């Protein structure tokens, strides 16, 4: 371990980095070589406070012994078992623990290896479910502007981030989008759920009228849109989406890849909002980000619709080589145990007020045009530099890294989502340093 800390790669060209300004990065690399609890260690030996739980995934903090040990033990005991037509106990156990944790009625689990795969899986389940019920005319999928559902073809089709779509030509057909709910003129500087905008859910009625309910399989939304800059649903909005989807026999999918596992101070966002969808997609916090894994939770009604025909036949033609992989399953179990032992899935509710007050102290600092928060998530929206969108926030990100805090930016929005083990002193450091940085920004 110690000698690895000193290794700095001297050729960075081979790795084409994901969602990264490769040329800029490779001129001035930012490298992490270690991590513990709330901090990363950089290649030059500095400590960086993790204000983003890695990429919204390290909910229990870094290098937690229980999780590390579970992976080590599983690797030595059963490294791999075929995922198709064979099983191993850890995956079944994890599925059971997930069902225990999930909102009532979501009783079955399909395992994947990422959020993107969870989304593809959920969309395919939705389409195939209607067919299994003899309702095969329901082929349309409805997403939302500014939605992020990963990077695979289904996900970018239902997703609504234009820059993630426009390079790729024709995507899935039969997709439509609801409007996003972000409205700074009415809701700027809201603490928690905004007052205005529940009526935007009625746009779904318009879409249903346009296409006819008989053609629509599912609606997919992030309960709180994360990657597009923390867009919190207006009061009553998700409840309305649930009513409309139920009325028309359309499945509602909550993409909880970010909001799952305690981010809002409840196990799932569905619990926070009191709205139970038909399908929940997860990943990230499922294994504390340590081993890639995702899970899709579905109702018994959906599951049971597939369980027909001859018993020797495969019911759903879908799955991955690594679905329910032993080490990922072991990491998932140890992660859920850690969350439980330390009360982390509700810690966001305890720390939420302190987090909110700290974040909103940024109101009035130069360039800040909005601050918003829910649970242990927050966003600070900056006025873009005229003609140079994203530049101001990106400079804040680089300066923050240099100052020893990790934040995340999307467009000109700074998003923060610290590990759920965060203490008040960490929040003070994070927001204190960010305030200084914003004060010095052009
Ligand atoms: C809501 C949502 N869905 C899907 C994904 C994709 O997850 P992954 O990057 O693991 O494929 C993300 C990733 O940030 C996400 O936030």
């Amino acid at each position: 371990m110690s000698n690895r800390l000193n290794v700095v790669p001297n050729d960075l060209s081979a790795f084409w980095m994901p969602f990264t300004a490769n040329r800029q990065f490779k001129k001035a690399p930012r490298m992490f070589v270690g991590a513990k609890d709330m901090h990363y260690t950089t290649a030059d030996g500095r400590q960086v406070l993790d204000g983003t739980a890695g990429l919204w995934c390290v909910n229990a903090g870094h290098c937690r012994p229980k999780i590390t040990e579970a992976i080590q033990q599983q690797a030595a005991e059963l490294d791999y078992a075929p995922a198709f037509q064979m099983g191993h106990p850890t995956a079944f156990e994890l599925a059971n623990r997930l069902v225990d944790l999930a909102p009532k009625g979501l009783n079955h689990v399909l395992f994947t290896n990422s959020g993107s795969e969870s989304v593809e899986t959920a969309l395919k389940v939705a389409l195939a479910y209607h067919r299994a019920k003899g309702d095969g005319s329901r082929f349309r999928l409805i997403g939302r502007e500014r939605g992020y559902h990963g990077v695979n073809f289904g996900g970018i089709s239902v997703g609504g981030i234009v820059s993630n779509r426009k390079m790729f030509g024709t995507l899935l057909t039969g997709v439509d989008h609801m409007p996003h709910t972000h409205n700074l003129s009415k809701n700027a500087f809201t603490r928690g759920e905004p007052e205005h905008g529940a009526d935007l859910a009625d746009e779904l009625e318009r879409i249903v009228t346009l296409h006819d309910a008989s053609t629509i399989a599912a609606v997919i939304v992030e309960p709180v849109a994360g990657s597009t800059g923390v867009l919190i649903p207006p009061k009553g909005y998700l409840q309305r989406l649930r009513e409309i989807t139920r009325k028309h026999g359309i499945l509602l999918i909550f993409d909880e890849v970010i909001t799952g596992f305690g981010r809002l101070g409840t196990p799932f966002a569905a619990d926070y909002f009191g709205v139970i969808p038909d399908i929940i997609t997860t990943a990230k916090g499922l294994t504390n980000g340590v081993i890639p894994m995702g899970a899709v939770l579905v109702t018994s009604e959906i599951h049971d619709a597939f369980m027909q025909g001859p018993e020797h036949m495969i019911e759903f033609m879908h799955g991955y080589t690594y679905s329910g992989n032993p080490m990922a399953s072991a990491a998932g179990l140890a992660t859920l145990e850690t969350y439980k032992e330390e009360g982390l899935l509700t810690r966001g509710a305890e720390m939420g007020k302190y987090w909110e007050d700290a974040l909103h102290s940024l109101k009035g600092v130069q360039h800040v045009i909005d601050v918003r928060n829910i649970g242990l998530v927050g966003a600070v929206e900056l006025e873009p530099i005229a003609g140079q969108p994203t530049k101001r926030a990106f400079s804040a990100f680089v300066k923050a890294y240099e100052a020893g805090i990790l934040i995340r930016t999307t467009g000109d929005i700074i998003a923060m989502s610290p590990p759920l083990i965060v203490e008040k002193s960490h929040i003070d450091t994070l927001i204190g340093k960010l305030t200084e940085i914003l004060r010095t920004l052009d």
Side-chain angles (χ1 to χ4, degrees), residues 74-127:
Q74 186 65 55
E77 210 170 275
L78 174 68
D79 52 353
Y80 179 80
F84 308 157
Q85 305 282 23
M86 291 299 299
H88 68 94
T90 321
F92 287 93
E93 197 181 337
L94 179 59
N96 288 330
R97 296 295 77 76
L98 274 173
V99 166
D100 292 344
L101 191 66
K104 200 163 175 300
L106 291 151
N107 293 330
H108 297 276
V109 180
L110 300 105
F111 284 118
T112 72
N113 307 289
S114 65
S116 299
E117 288 183 1
S118 289
V119 167
E120 304 302 300
T121 300
L123 298 178
K124 287 173 75 178
V125 165
L127 294 169

Side-chain angles (χ1 to χ4, degrees), residues 56 114-117 119 148-151 222 227 255 257-258 283-284:
W56 323 80
S114 65
S116 299
E117 288 183 1
V119 167
Y148 182 64
H149 301 293
V151 292
E222 303 157 87
S227 299
D255 186 347
V257 166
I258 282 178
K284 296 192 188 272

Side-chain angles (χ1 to χ4, degrees), residues 37 40 50-64 67 114-115 256-263 282-293 331 335-336 339 344-345 376-377 406 408 416-421:
D37 299 330
Y40 281 107
D50 186 356
T52 57
L55 265 180
W56 323 80
C57 49
V58 187
N59 290 3
H62 293 273
C63 289
R64 301 304 309 272
I67 303 170
S114 65
E256 294 227 29
V257 166
I258 282 178
T259 53
F261 307 104
R263 184 48 58 199
T282 72
K284 296 192 188 272
L286 169 59
T287 56
N288 205 34
V290 181
I291 297 221
M293 185 181 225
T335 298
L336 296 189
Y339 291 155
L344 295 181
L345 298 184
L376 275 174
V377 196
L406 183 67
R408 187 159 166 67
M416 287 171 289
S417 54
L420 306 174
I421 57 168

Side-chain angles (χ1 to χ4, degrees), residues 344-366:
L344 295 181
L345 298 184
T346 50
R347 193 143 190 283
E350 288 158 36
M351 296 298 285
K353 182 74 177 84
Y354 195 85
W355 173 244
E356 175 175 284
D357 288 342
L359 273 169
H360 282 267
S361 71
L362 288 160
K363 186 176 180 181
V365 175
Q366 66 160 355

